Amino acid sequence: MSNTIYTGKALRSSGRHEVVGEAIVTKNPITLLGFVNPKTGEITEEKHDLNGKIITNKIFVFPRGIGSTVGPYVLINLVKNEKAPLVIINMQSDQGTVSGCSVAKIPMAYGFEVDPTEIIKNGDQVKVIIENGVSTIQILGE
Amino acid sequence: MYLTQEEEKLLAGESGTGSQLAMELLIDLGEFFEADRLIPVTSAHISGVSYLTGGDGLIDQLGLFIEHKAKVSIFSTLNPSGMDRKNYKDQYIDLEFATKQFQILQYFNDLGVSLTCSCTPYDFGHLLTKGEHVAWAESSAVTFANSFFGARTNKEDSLSVLSAAITGRTPYYGYHLTENRIPNVEVSVEADILEYTDYSMLGEITGKAFRNKPFPFGAIPVFKWINKPRPQEMKALGASLASFGTHIFHIENVTPEQELIPQAQIEDTLIVTADMLKETYEHFAPPDDVNIAVIGCPNANLEEIIQTAGLVKGKKLREGKEFWLFTNAAQKALASSSGYLKALEDVGVKIFVDTCPEVMPYDKTRFEKILTNSVKAQHYISAPSLNGLPTYVMSVANCVDAMFEEEIIEDE
């Protein structure tokens, strides 16, 4: 277990959350519309390193979303279908992911000094606390 | 973030919960992008209309805004829906899908949005001036607004654009600021770029080359050595680029913000050769027979309709083939009054409005693969969570040749 706590920002509308979960991590951007299945929570992008993986109830760590402006509805549909991730952690992030998380009320953290896709490994147990637009992450172990 | 008194009131819910929800979203976005304030916008183009892409989440979200009596406060047009409102049965779309789609359109109507249902609002009078701040979604339209008009919009998403349309505001960041519109990559075009699909391929080659560069607002190419394109060719170029996160481009001696080109801070360059263009065409070429061609991504304008009518003249559809052309209601009306609609329909072309080749559900018992003249359509039709159908790209002339044969008129 690492004692290091990394502090970043969070969406103000996310409210307060304290979550422990398993991380699913990629360094590659995520295309929400078309390549994340809102009915199953599965990533279905053939050449993506997370192809076939499920994001449901995970701490989902990726650099940013790309692709269609309709992407946010994928996040809303994931929540509606109870297939959403517990928390989304982004490095750069993007408009669609911010809007989707804001409306779908998926807690979202961003703006860390370090690159979360570097420090968090696939399968790590991660603790995330979000409050008043501030977030902290702590890696509890593999 | 600084808020005016009026914005504070909206946030406090003094104008209703609908505009309060919208303000909360804009503030989340503004803080994320470190905007110091919101700015007024003069028009909105709203995406997130098709039941195929939005699903039940879209219906719920619109329902929530309507329950809270939200209304748009600026001129707002709407992106394609999942079907032609009148002729959806000719698209082989069932009543269940249609019922959901009509509900979504009713909700947008209740919100005060014009039900224009097209990705090319600039083709029916939603025009912009240079420097005008707007909130547009639909990635190809955003790229066109920034690059063709020199207007200023970020790539709004379906929720932020709705919030902007309701409040008349958007966070002041990104492409609204001159510094984020300056070219950062240079593309020299050695290949002959002569027609619509060539431009679409040029966008693919350029987008792919810079897709993993860490530019905060995407690669901003300045294109050199290409001939003066027609507006629909710039539309095709922008649509392809937008799939890779580029929402503004400049062309030397063509686009309206020439003054930004000498300020370019070039971090990478690309030379597009004839061989690269040929390889890209080969990559997207159909390996075998396809029984449907779809054109009109983004929606075809009158010039493209006239061109297609010329290509199919004197021909007839091959047995078991279909050729679909997607446009908007305004272009279809003009095509009708000028005779081109009849010419197309007489040879069996199906013309659809209110929708596009990507956001409609295909009947997979009839169509296993799709042919199109647009790389953007290729990306999205083949996306597994949309239609997931293998999709191939050729010029419109080659699409016509694949679906039509010469009509042999026998002499008496």
mmCIF file with all atom_site columns, all heavy atoms in Angstrom, chain B residues 59-79:
data_model
loop_
_atom_site.group_PDB
_atom_site.id
_atom_site.type_symbol
_atom_site.label_atom_id
_atom_site.label_alt_id
_atom_site.label_comp_id
_atom_site.label_asym_id
_atom_site.label_entity_id
_atom_site.label_seq_id
_atom_site.pdbx_PDB_ins_code
_atom_site.Cartn_x
_atom_site.Cartn_y
_atom_site.Cartn_z
_atom_site.occupancy
_atom_site.B_iso_or_equiv
_atom_site.pdbx_formal_charge
_atom_site.auth_seq_id
_atom_site.auth_comp_id
_atom_site.auth_asym_id
_atom_site.auth_atom_id
_atom_site.pdbx_PDB_model_num
ATOM 1   N N   . ILE B 1 59 ? -34.176 10.627 -24.177 1.00 0.00 ? 59 ILE B N   1
ATOM 2   C CA  . ILE B 1 59 ? -35.594 10.909 -23.909 1.00 0.00 ? 59 ILE B CA  1
ATOM 3   C C   . ILE B 1 59 ? -35.762 11.376 -22.458 1.00 0.00 ? 59 ILE B C   1
ATOM 4   O O   . ILE B 1 59 ? -36.436 12.369 -22.183 1.00 0.00 ? 59 ILE B O   1
ATOM 5   C CB  . ILE B 1 59 ? -36.456 9.658  -24.202 1.00 0.00 ? 59 ILE B CB  1
ATOM 6   C CG1 . ILE B 1 59 ? -36.370 9.314  -25.699 1.00 0.00 ? 59 ILE B CG1 1
ATOM 7   C CG2 . ILE B 1 59 ? -37.901 9.879  -23.773 1.00 0.00 ? 59 ILE B CG2 1
ATOM 8   C CD1 . ILE B 1 59 ? -37.097 8.054  -26.109 1.00 0.00 ? 59 ILE B CD1 1
ATOM 9   N N   . ASP B 1 60 ? -35.113 10.672 -21.531 1.00 0.00 ? 60 ASP B N   1
ATOM 10  C CA  . ASP B 1 60 ? -35.219 11.042 -20.114 1.00 0.00 ? 60 ASP B CA  1
ATOM 11  C C   . ASP B 1 60 ? -34.698 12.448 -19.864 1.00 0.00 ? 60 ASP B C   1
ATOM 12  O O   . ASP B 1 60 ? -35.297 13.236 -19.139 1.00 0.00 ? 60 ASP B O   1
ATOM 13  C CB  . ASP B 1 60 ? -34.400 10.071 -19.239 1.00 0.00 ? 60 ASP B CB  1
ATOM 14  C CG  . ASP B 1 60 ? -35.003 8.676  -19.230 1.00 0.00 ? 60 ASP B CG  1
ATOM 15  O OD1 . ASP B 1 60 ? -36.089 8.499  -19.818 1.00 0.00 ? 60 ASP B OD1 1
ATOM 16  O OD2 . ASP B 1 60 ? -34.378 7.767  -18.650 1.00 0.00 ? 60 ASP B OD2 1
ATOM 17  N N   . GLN B 1 61 ? -33.536 12.758 -20.469 1.00 0.00 ? 61 GLN B N   1
ATOM 18  C CA  . GLN B 1 61 ? -32.890 14.044 -20.228 1.00 0.00 ? 61 GLN B CA  1
ATOM 19  C C   . GLN B 1 61 ? -33.727 15.195 -20.775 1.00 0.00 ? 61 GLN B C   1
ATOM 20  O O   . GLN B 1 61 ? -33.916 16.212 -20.109 1.00 0.00 ? 61 GLN B O   1
ATOM 21  C CB  . GLN B 1 61 ? -31.490 14.047 -20.849 1.00 0.00 ? 61 GLN B CB  1
ATOM 22  C CG  . GLN B 1 61 ? -30.615 15.188 -20.411 1.00 0.00 ? 61 GLN B CG  1
ATOM 23  C CD  . GLN B 1 61 ? -30.433 15.228 -18.900 1.00 0.00 ? 61 GLN B CD  1
ATOM 24  O OE1 . GLN B 1 61 ? -30.300 14.182 -18.272 1.00 0.00 ? 61 GLN B OE1 1
ATOM 25  N NE2 . GLN B 1 61 ? -30.475 16.413 -18.317 1.00 0.00 ? 61 GLN B NE2 1
ATOM 26  N N   . LEU B 1 62 ? -34.245 15.022 -22.010 1.00 0.00 ? 62 LEU B N   1
ATOM 27  C CA  . LEU B 1 62 ? -35.097 16.063 -22.590 1.00 0.00 ? 62 LEU B CA  1
ATOM 28  C C   . LEU B 1 62 ? -36.359 16.207 -21.754 1.00 0.00 ? 62 LEU B C   1
ATOM 29  O O   . LEU B 1 62 ? -36.835 17.319 -21.494 1.00 0.00 ? 62 LEU B O   1
ATOM 30  C CB  . LEU B 1 62 ? -35.454 15.716 -24.038 1.00 0.00 ? 62 LEU B CB  1
ATOM 31  C CG  . LEU B 1 62 ? -34.298 15.708 -25.035 1.00 0.00 ? 62 LEU B CG  1
ATOM 32  C CD1 . LEU B 1 62 ? -34.803 15.255 -26.394 1.00 0.00 ? 62 LEU B CD1 1
ATOM 33  C CD2 . LEU B 1 62 ? -33.651 17.078 -25.141 1.00 0.00 ? 62 LEU B CD2 1
ATOM 34  N N   . GLY B 1 63 ? -36.895 15.066 -21.319 1.00 0.00 ? 63 GLY B N   1
ATOM 35  C CA  . GLY B 1 63 ? -38.101 15.070 -20.489 1.00 0.00 ? 63 GLY B CA  1
ATOM 36  C C   . GLY B 1 63 ? -37.878 15.879 -19.213 1.00 0.00 ? 63 GLY B C   1
ATOM 37  O O   . GLY B 1 63 ? -38.743 16.650 -18.781 1.00 0.00 ? 63 GLY B O   1
ATOM 38  N N   . LEU B 1 64 ? -36.697 15.741 -18.651 1.00 0.00 ? 64 LEU B N   1
ATOM 39  C CA  . LEU B 1 64 ? -36.365 16.459 -17.417 1.00 0.00 ? 64 LEU B CA  1
ATOM 40  C C   . LEU B 1 64 ? -36.354 17.966 -17.657 1.00 0.00 ? 64 LEU B C   1
ATOM 41  O O   . LEU B 1 64 ? -36.906 18.749 -16.876 1.00 0.00 ? 64 LEU B O   1
ATOM 42  C CB  . LEU B 1 64 ? -34.985 15.986 -16.932 1.00 0.00 ? 64 LEU B CB  1
ATOM 43  C CG  . LEU B 1 64 ? -34.562 16.425 -15.549 1.00 0.00 ? 64 LEU B CG  1
ATOM 44  C CD1 . LEU B 1 64 ? -35.406 15.754 -14.477 1.00 0.00 ? 64 LEU B CD1 1
ATOM 45  C CD2 . LEU B 1 64 ? -33.077 16.092 -15.317 1.00 0.00 ? 64 LEU B CD2 1
ATOM 46  N N   . PHE B 1 65 ? -35.721 18.384 -18.777 1.00 0.00 ? 65 PHE B N   1
ATOM 47  C CA  . PHE B 1 65 ? -35.690 19.812 -19.102 1.00 0.00 ? 65 PHE B CA  1
ATOM 48  C C   . PHE B 1 65 ? -37.114 20.353 -19.307 1.00 0.00 ? 65 PHE B C   1
ATOM 49  O O   . PHE B 1 65 ? -37.440 21.459 -18.883 1.00 0.00 ? 65 PHE B O   1
ATOM 50  C CB  . PHE B 1 65 ? -34.848 20.067 -20.360 1.00 0.00 ? 65 PHE B CB  1
ATOM 51  C CG  . PHE B 1 65 ? -33.379 20.239 -20.075 1.00 0.00 ? 65 PHE B CG  1
ATOM 52  C CD1 . PHE B 1 65 ? -32.432 19.377 -20.634 1.00 0.00 ? 65 PHE B CD1 1
ATOM 53  C CD2 . PHE B 1 65 ? -32.924 21.273 -19.276 1.00 0.00 ? 65 PHE B CD2 1
ATOM 54  C CE1 . PHE B 1 65 ? -31.077 19.538 -20.382 1.00 0.00 ? 65 PHE B CE1 1
ATOM 55  C CE2 . PHE B 1 65 ? -31.565 21.449 -19.015 1.00 0.00 ? 65 PHE B CE2 1
ATOM 56  C CZ  . PHE B 1 65 ? -30.641 20.583 -19.564 1.00 0.00 ? 65 PHE B CZ  1
ATOM 57  N N   . ILE B 1 66 ? -37.960 19.547 -19.965 1.00 0.00 ? 66 ILE B N   1
ATOM 58  C CA  . ILE B 1 66 ? -39.314 20.020 -20.261 1.00 0.00 ? 66 ILE B CA  1
ATOM 59  C C   . ILE B 1 66 ? -40.156 20.093 -18.985 1.00 0.00 ? 66 ILE B C   1
ATOM 60  O O   . ILE B 1 66 ? -40.903 21.053 -18.770 1.00 0.00 ? 66 ILE B O   1
ATOM 61  C CB  . ILE B 1 66 ? -39.965 19.124 -21.337 1.00 0.00 ? 66 ILE B CB  1
ATOM 62  C CG1 . ILE B 1 66 ? -39.319 19.455 -22.680 1.00 0.00 ? 66 ILE B CG1 1
ATOM 63  C CG2 . ILE B 1 66 ? -41.474 19.321 -21.398 1.00 0.00 ? 66 ILE B CG2 1
ATOM 64  C CD1 . ILE B 1 66 ? -39.402 18.373 -23.685 1.00 0.00 ? 66 ILE B CD1 1
ATOM 65  N N   . GLU B 1 67 ? -39.974 19.099 -18.140 1.00 0.00 ? 67 GLU B N   1
ATOM 66  C CA  . GLU B 1 67 ? -40.659 19.095 -16.849 1.00 0.00 ? 67 GLU B CA  1
ATOM 67  C C   . GLU B 1 67 ? -40.339 20.383 -16.080 1.00 0.00 ? 67 GLU B C   1
ATOM 68  O O   . GLU B 1 67 ? -41.184 20.931 -15.379 1.00 0.00 ? 67 GLU B O   1
ATOM 69  C CB  . GLU B 1 67 ? -40.158 17.871 -16.076 1.00 0.00 ? 67 GLU B CB  1
ATOM 70  C CG  . GLU B 1 67 ? -40.955 17.477 -14.859 1.00 0.00 ? 67 GLU B CG  1
ATOM 71  C CD  . GLU B 1 67 ? -40.257 16.312 -14.161 1.00 0.00 ? 67 GLU B CD  1
ATOM 72  O OE1 . GLU B 1 67 ? -39.903 15.313 -14.858 1.00 0.00 ? 67 GLU B OE1 1
ATOM 73  O OE2 . GLU B 1 67 ? -40.008 16.414 -12.965 1.00 0.00 ? 67 GLU B OE2 1
ATOM 74  N N   . HIS B 1 68 ? -39.104 20.854 -16.244 1.00 0.00 ? 68 HIS B N   1
ATOM 75  C CA  . HIS B 1 68 ? -38.690 22.077 -15.553 1.00 0.00 ? 68 HIS B CA  1
ATOM 76  C C   . HIS B 1 68 ? -38.882 23.317 -16.423 1.00 0.00 ? 68 HIS B C   1
ATOM 77  O O   . HIS B 1 68 ? -38.267 24.350 -16.187 1.00 0.00 ? 68 HIS B O   1
ATOM 78  C CB  . HIS B 1 68 ? -37.232 21.952 -15.099 1.00 0.00 ? 68 HIS B CB  1
ATOM 79  C CG  . HIS B 1 68 ? -37.039 20.895 -14.056 1.00 0.00 ? 68 HIS B CG  1
ATOM 80  N ND1 . HIS B 1 68 ? -37.716 20.898 -12.866 1.00 0.00 ? 68 HIS B ND1 1
ATOM 81  C CD2 . HIS B 1 68 ? -36.277 19.783 -14.036 1.00 0.00 ? 68 HIS B CD2 1
ATOM 82  C CE1 . HIS B 1 68 ? -37.368 19.844 -12.149 1.00 0.00 ? 68 HIS B CE1 1
ATOM 83  N NE2 . HIS B 1 68 ? -36.495 19.145 -12.847 1.00 0.00 ? 68 HIS B NE2 1
ATOM 84  N N   . LYS B 1 69 ? -39.716 23.173 -17.450 1.00 0.00 ? 69 LYS B N   1
ATOM 85  C CA  . LYS B 1 69 ? -40.161 24.297 -18.277 1.00 0.00 ? 69 LYS B CA  1
ATOM 86  C C   . LYS B 1 69 ? -39.012 25.069 -18.942 1.00 0.00 ? 69 LYS B C   1
ATOM 87  O O   . LYS B 1 69 ? -39.072 26.299 -19.086 1.00 0.00 ? 69 LYS B O   1
ATOM 88  C CB  . LYS B 1 69 ? -41.012 25.273 -17.444 1.00 0.00 ? 69 LYS B CB  1
ATOM 89  C CG  . LYS B 1 69 ? -42.153 24.575 -16.670 1.00 0.00 ? 69 LYS B CG  1
ATOM 90  C CD  . LYS B 1 69 ? -43.410 25.401 -16.709 1.00 0.00 ? 69 LYS B CD  1
ATOM 91  C CE  . LYS B 1 69 ? -44.631 24.736 -16.099 1.00 0.00 ? 69 LYS B CE  1
ATOM 92  N NZ  . LYS B 1 69 ? -44.655 23.296 -15.954 1.00 0.00 ? 69 LYS B NZ  1
ATOM 93  N N   . ALA B 1 70 ? -37.976 24.375 -19.347 1.00 0.00 ? 70 ALA B N   1
ATOM 94  C CA  . ALA B 1 70 ? -36.875 25.032 -20.050 1.00 0.00 ? 70 ALA B CA  1
ATOM 95  C C   . ALA B 1 70 ? -37.293 25.370 -21.490 1.00 0.00 ? 70 ALA B C   1
ATOM 96  O O   . ALA B 1 70 ? -38.111 24.662 -22.079 1.00 0.00 ? 70 ALA B O   1
ATOM 97  C CB  . ALA B 1 70 ? -35.651 24.119 -20.063 1.00 0.00 ? 70 ALA B CB  1
ATOM 98  N N   . LYS B 1 71 ? -36.744 26.466 -22.012 1.00 0.00 ? 71 LYS B N   1
ATOM 99  C CA  . LYS B 1 71 ? -36.964 26.879 -23.410 1.00 0.00 ? 71 LYS B CA  1
ATOM 100 C C   . LYS B 1 71 ? -35.646 27.417 -23.952 1.00 0.00 ? 71 LYS B C   1
ATOM 101 O O   . LYS B 1 71 ? -34.883 28.027 -23.192 1.00 0.00 ? 71 LYS B O   1
ATOM 102 C CB  . LYS B 1 71 ? -37.979 28.028 -23.472 1.00 0.00 ? 71 LYS B CB  1
ATOM 103 C CG  . LYS B 1 71 ? -39.419 27.607 -23.311 1.00 0.00 ? 71 LYS B CG  1
ATOM 104 C CD  . LYS B 1 71 ? -40.068 27.390 -24.667 1.00 0.00 ? 71 LYS B CD  1
ATOM 105 C CE  . LYS B 1 71 ? -41.533 26.982 -24.473 1.00 0.00 ? 71 LYS B CE  1
ATOM 106 N NZ  . LYS B 1 71 ? -42.055 26.239 -25.628 1.00 0.00 ? 71 LYS B NZ  1
ATOM 107 N N   . VAL B 1 72 ? -35.404 27.223 -25.235 1.00 0.00 ? 72 VAL B N   1
ATOM 108 C CA  . VAL B 1 72 ? -34.195 27.831 -25.787 1.00 0.00 ? 72 VAL B CA  1
ATOM 109 C C   . VAL B 1 72 ? -34.408 29.331 -25.915 1.00 0.00 ? 72 VAL B C   1
ATOM 110 O O   . VAL B 1 72 ? -35.528 29.796 -26.140 1.00 0.00 ? 72 VAL B O   1
ATOM 111 C CB  . VAL B 1 72 ? -33.788 27.208 -27.150 1.00 0.00 ? 72 VAL B CB  1
ATOM 112 C CG1 . VAL B 1 72 ? -33.520 25.730 -26.991 1.00 0.00 ? 72 VAL B CG1 1
ATOM 113 C CG2 . VAL B 1 72 ? -34.833 27.465 -28.210 1.00 0.00 ? 72 VAL B CG2 1
ATOM 114 N N   . SER B 1 73 ? -33.322 30.106 -25.761 1.00 0.00 ? 73 SER B N   1
ATOM 115 C CA  . SER B 1 73 ? -33.451 31.564 -25.782 1.00 0.00 ? 73 SER B CA  1
ATOM 116 C C   . SER B 1 73 ? -32.778 32.190 -26.997 1.00 0.00 ? 73 SER B C   1
ATOM 117 O O   . SER B 1 73 ? -32.790 33.405 -27.147 1.00 0.00 ? 73 SER B O   1
ATOM 118 C CB  . SER B 1 73 ? -32.851 32.149 -24.499 1.00 0.00 ? 73 SER B CB  1
ATOM 119 O OG  . SER B 1 73 ? -31.459 31.888 -24.457 1.00 0.00 ? 73 SER B OG  1
ATOM 120 N N   . ILE B 1 74 ? -32.147 31.369 -27.856 1.00 0.00 ? 74 ILE B N   1
ATOM 121 C CA  . ILE B 1 74 ? -31.494 31.895 -29.062 1.00 0.00 ? 74 ILE B CA  1
ATOM 122 C C   . ILE B 1 74 ? -31.888 31.023 -30.256 1.00 0.00 ? 74 ILE B C   1
ATOM 123 O O   . ILE B 1 74 ? -32.417 29.920 -30.064 1.00 0.00 ? 74 ILE B O   1
ATOM 124 C CB  . ILE B 1 74 ? -29.946 31.903 -28.927 1.00 0.00 ? 74 ILE B CB  1
ATOM 125 C CG1 . ILE B 1 74 ? -29.444 30.534 -28.451 1.00 0.00 ? 74 ILE B CG1 1
ATOM 126 C CG2 . ILE B 1 74 ? -29.496 33.001 -27.974 1.00 0.00 ? 74 ILE B CG2 1
ATOM 127 C CD1 . ILE B 1 74 ? -27.937 30.428 -28.352 1.00 0.00 ? 74 ILE B CD1 1
ATOM 128 N N   . PHE B 1 75 ? -31.620 31.513 -31.475 1.00 0.00 ? 75 PHE B N   1
ATOM 129 C CA  . PHE B 1 75 ? -31.948 30.753 -32.690 1.00 0.00 ? 75 PHE B CA  1
ATOM 130 C C   . PHE B 1 75 ? -31.236 29.400 -32.657 1.00 0.00 ? 75 PHE B C   1
ATOM 131 O O   . PHE B 1 75 ? -30.009 29.349 -32.538 1.00 0.00 ? 75 PHE B O   1
ATOM 132 C CB  . PHE B 1 75 ? -31.523 31.547 -33.932 1.00 0.00 ? 75 PHE B CB  1
ATOM 133 C CG  . PHE B 1 75 ? -31.741 30.817 -35.232 1.00 0.00 ? 75 PHE B CG  1
ATOM 134 C CD1 . PHE B 1 75 ? -32.978 30.273 -35.546 1.00 0.00 ? 75 PHE B CD1 1
ATOM 135 C CD2 . PHE B 1 75 ? -30.700 30.687 -36.153 1.00 0.00 ? 75 PHE B CD2 1
ATOM 136 C CE1 . PHE B 1 75 ? -33.188 29.606 -36.749 1.00 0.00 ? 75 PHE B CE1 1
ATOM 137 C CE2 . PHE B 1 75 ? -30.892 30.018 -37.364 1.00 0.00 ? 75 PHE B CE2 1
ATOM 138 C CZ  . PHE B 1 75 ? -32.146 29.488 -37.652 1.00 0.00 ? 75 PHE B CZ  1
ATOM 139 N N   . SER B 1 76 ? -31.994 28.329 -32.728 1.00 0.00 ? 76 SER B N   1
ATOM 140 C CA  . SER B 1 76 ? -31.421 26.999 -32.553 1.00 0.00 ? 76 SER B CA  1
ATOM 141 C C   . SER B 1 76 ? -31.932 26.047 -33.621 1.00 0.00 ? 76 SER B C   1
ATOM 142 O O   . SER B 1 76 ? -33.148 25.921 -33.824 1.00 0.00 ? 76 SER B O   1
ATOM 143 C CB  . SER B 1 76 ? -31.802 26.441 -31.175 1.00 0.00 ? 76 SER B CB  1
ATOM 144 O OG  . SER B 1 76 ? -31.363 27.302 -30.154 1.00 0.00 ? 76 SER B OG  1
ATOM 145 N N   . THR B 1 77 ? -30.991 25.394 -34.315 1.00 0.00 ? 77 THR B N   1
ATOM 146 C CA  . THR B 1 77 ? -31.369 24.385 -35.301 1.00 0.00 ? 77 THR B CA  1
ATOM 147 C C   . THR B 1 77 ? -30.965 23.006 -34.776 1.00 0.00 ? 77 THR B C   1
ATOM 148 O O   . THR B 1 77 ? -30.233 22.892 -33.790 1.00 0.00 ? 77 THR B O   1
ATOM 149 C CB  . THR B 1 77 ? -30.684 24.654 -36.663 1.00 0.00 ? 77 THR B CB  1
ATOM 150 O OG1 . THR B 1 77 ? -29.284 24.845 -36.453 1.00 0.00 ? 77 THR B OG1 1
ATOM 151 C CG2 . THR B 1 77 ? -31.270 25.884 -37.330 1.00 0.00 ? 77 THR B CG2 1
ATOM 152 N N   . LEU B 1 78 ? -31.444 21.968 -35.467 1.00 0.00 ? 78 LEU B N   1
ATOM 153 C CA  . LEU B 1 78 ? -31.343 20.615 -34.933 1.00 0.00 ? 78 LEU B CA  1
ATOM 154 C C   . LEU B 1 78 ? -30.622 19.689 -35.911 1.00 0.00 ? 78 LEU B C   1
ATOM 155 O O   . LEU B 1 78 ? -30.824 19.765 -37.110 1.00 0.00 ? 78 LEU B O   1
ATOM 156 C CB  . LEU B 1 78 ? -32.769 20.099 -34.670 1.00 0.00 ? 78 LEU B CB  1
ATOM 157 C CG  . LEU B 1 78 ? -32.936 18.935 -33.710 1.00 0.00 ? 78 LEU B CG  1
ATOM 158 C CD1 . LEU B 1 78 ? -32.401 19.286 -32.330 1.00 0.00 ? 78 LEU B CD1 1
ATOM 159 C CD2 . LEU B 1 78 ? -34.405 18.559 -33.601 1.00 0.00 ? 78 LEU B CD2 1
ATOM 160 N N   . ASN B 1 79 ? -29.824 18.788 -35.362 1.00 0.00 ? 79 ASN B N   1
ATOM 161 C CA  . ASN B 1 79 ? -29.068 17.807 -36.140 1.00 0.00 ? 79 ASN B CA  1
ATOM 162 C C   . ASN B 1 79 ? -30.005 16.708 -36.677 1.00 0.00 ? 79 ASN B C   1
ATOM 163 O O   . ASN B 1 79 ? -31.157 16.619 -36.269 1.00 0.00 ? 79 ASN B O   1
ATOM 164 C CB  . ASN B 1 79 ? -28.002 17.192 -35.210 1.00 0.00 ? 79 ASN B CB  1
ATOM 165 C CG  . ASN B 1 79 ? -26.637 17.114 -35.860 1.00 0.00 ? 79 ASN B CG  1
ATOM 166 O OD1 . ASN B 1 79 ? -26.315 17.890 -36.753 1.00 0.00 ? 79 ASN B OD1 1
ATOM 167 N ND2 . ASN B 1 79 ? -25.834 16.177 -35.416 1.00 0.00 ? 79 ASN B ND2 1
#
